[in-house]
């Protein structure tokens, strides 16, 4: 039994995949866009991701690169493109295996078993497994939506929690404001002030200020990063 993320915008293919995987006792979450997939892998731990290449928001290879930027979860590419050069490129970019659509249930099972065996997960894994994020004295449990700083619980609003969890999921990485708006606020545009206000609330709860940051660092005109105090 594995925990699987299905990234597929075609409703028909998606439900067929979910049905088959659930029948095979896997735990399945599914999304229809690359940005949603990035959010999922930032918040949950999966044993394998099945990634459709033709997604509405991002090109499949872009999506794969961004996934690889935040997780080393095994990724099986599902592609309608029977293009050998592209498949080789994707395997080089970090895909673990691929399936050319239309594929059979047996074919998918075989690929999944192989990928899970290689990554050392699978039948012995209790899914879904919560990934608790730890950065310095910060501990964030995305499933329970609890966060502590130096073992003291933090009283965060939903948005503050999402912002903290998203940044802590990629410590030391400067996240552009646009990406924060898209990922935490699910907005494609917006006011920088929205982010600034929430950051300042979050800072206060973490006991720091913009002038004397510990965890949260704002890089003017670039973005925000979270890293352990020096
Ligand atoms: Ca598609």
């Amino acid at each position: 039994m594995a925990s699987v993320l299905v990234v597929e915008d075609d409703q028909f293919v998606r439900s067929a995949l979910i049905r088959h995987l659930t029948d095979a006792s896997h735990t399945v979450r599914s999304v229809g866009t690359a940005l949603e997939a990035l959010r999922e892998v930032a918040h949950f731990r999966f044993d394998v991701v099945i990634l459709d290449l033709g997604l509405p928001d991002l090109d499949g290879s872009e999506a794969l690169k961004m996934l690889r930027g935040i997780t080393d979860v095994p990724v099986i590419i599902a592609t309608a493109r029977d293009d050998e050069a592209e498949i080789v490129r994707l395997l080089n970019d970090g895909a673990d295996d691929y399936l050319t659509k239309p594929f059979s249930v047996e074919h998918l099972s075989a690929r999944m078993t192989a990928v899970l065996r290689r990554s050392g997960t699978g039948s012995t894994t209790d899914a879904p497994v919560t990934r608790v994020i730890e950065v310095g004295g910060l501990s964030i449990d995305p499933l329970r939506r609890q966060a502590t700083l130096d073992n003291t619980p933090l009283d965060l609003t939903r948005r503050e929690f999402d912002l903290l969890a998203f940044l802590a999921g990629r410590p030391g990485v400067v996240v552009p404001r646009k990406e924060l708006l898209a990922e935490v606020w699910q907005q494609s545009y917006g006011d920088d002030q929205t982010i600034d206000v929430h950051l300042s609330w979050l800072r206060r709860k973490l006991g720091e200020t913009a002038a004397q940051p510990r965890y949260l660092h704002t890089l003017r005109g670039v973005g925000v990063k979270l890293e352990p105090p020096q």
Side-chain angles (χ1 to χ4, degrees):
M1 189 166 85
S3 123
V4 186
L5 175 64
V6 171
V7 188
E8 170 63 69
D9 62 318
D10 183 317
Q11 208 46 253
F12 179 76
V13 177
R14 187 160 146 185
S15 13
L17 273 174
I18 293 170
R19 197 171 51 243
H20 162 64
L21 290 166
T22 310
D23 285 351
S25 304
H26 297 304
T27 310
V28 187
R29 289 178 66 90
S30 69
V31 292
T33 65
L35 286 180
E36 287 173 297
L38 292 170
R39 192 160 57 235
E40 285 289 310
V41 298
H43 288 191
F44 303 104
R45 209 191 70 84
F46 295 98
D47 295 318
V48 61
V49 174
I50 299 173
L51 177 67
D52 172 35
L53 280 192
L55 292 169
D57 56 341
L58 277 182
D59 176 62
S61 56
E62 277 302 307
L64 176 64
K65 275 187 209 147
M66 289 179 76
L67 271 178
R68 274 290 164 259
I70 53 176
T71 173
D72 53 8
V73 64
V75 175
I76 299 177
I77 297 291
T79 173
R81 312 168 196 178
D82 189 9
D83 175 349
E84 198 178 344
E86 163 135 48
I87 289 166
V88 168
R89 197 164 54 76
L90 289 166
L91 291 171
N92 283 330
D93 278 348
D96 293 84
D97 212 334
Y98 71 95
L99 287 159
T100 307
K101 290 180 188 174
F103 50 80
S104 69
V105 156
E106 289 74 21
H107 206 151
L108 170 65
S109 291
R111 292 292 164 101
M112 269 190 57
T113 307
V115 162
L116 291 171
R117 193 170 50 229
R118 284 206 297 272
S119 70
T121 51
S123 53
T124 56
T125 307
D126 290 326
V129 180
T130 316
R131 192 187 62 151
V132 175
I133 304 166
E134 309 228 357
V135 181
L138 268 176
S139 174
I140 297 146
D141 185 333
L143 271 191
R144 293 189 180 79
R145 298 191 66 82
Q146 288 167 355
T148 58
L149 175 61
D150 302 327
N151 297 316
T152 307
L154 293 168
D155 183 19
L156 303 177
T157 63
R158 187 174 65 87
R159 202 69 94 183
E160 289 162 1
F161 182 89
D162 289 344
L163 180 59
L164 182 67
F166 187 79
L167 289 169
R170 37 190 77 53
V173 175
V174 180
V175 181
R177 285 162 178 275
K178 234 172 95 182
E179 192 180 335
L180 281 179
L181 273 176
E183 292 297 324
V184 179
W185 278 266
Q186 278 100 55
Q187 290 175 8
S188 52
Y189 62 92
D191 194 342
D192 272 3
Q193 235 188 331
T194 308
I195 296 178
D196 287 333
V197 167
H198 281 85
L199 275 174
S200 83
W201 288 337
L202 191 52
R203 281 204 171 98
R204 198 172 308 162
K205 292 184 179 175
L206 296 178
E208 60 181 72
T209 62
Q212 286 188 306
R214 291 182 70 226
Y215 286 92
L216 288 170
H217 301 264
T218 305
L219 287 89
R220 199 170 292 281
V222 186
V224 185
K225 72 173 169 181
L226 186 150
E227 62 184 13
Q230 302 297 319

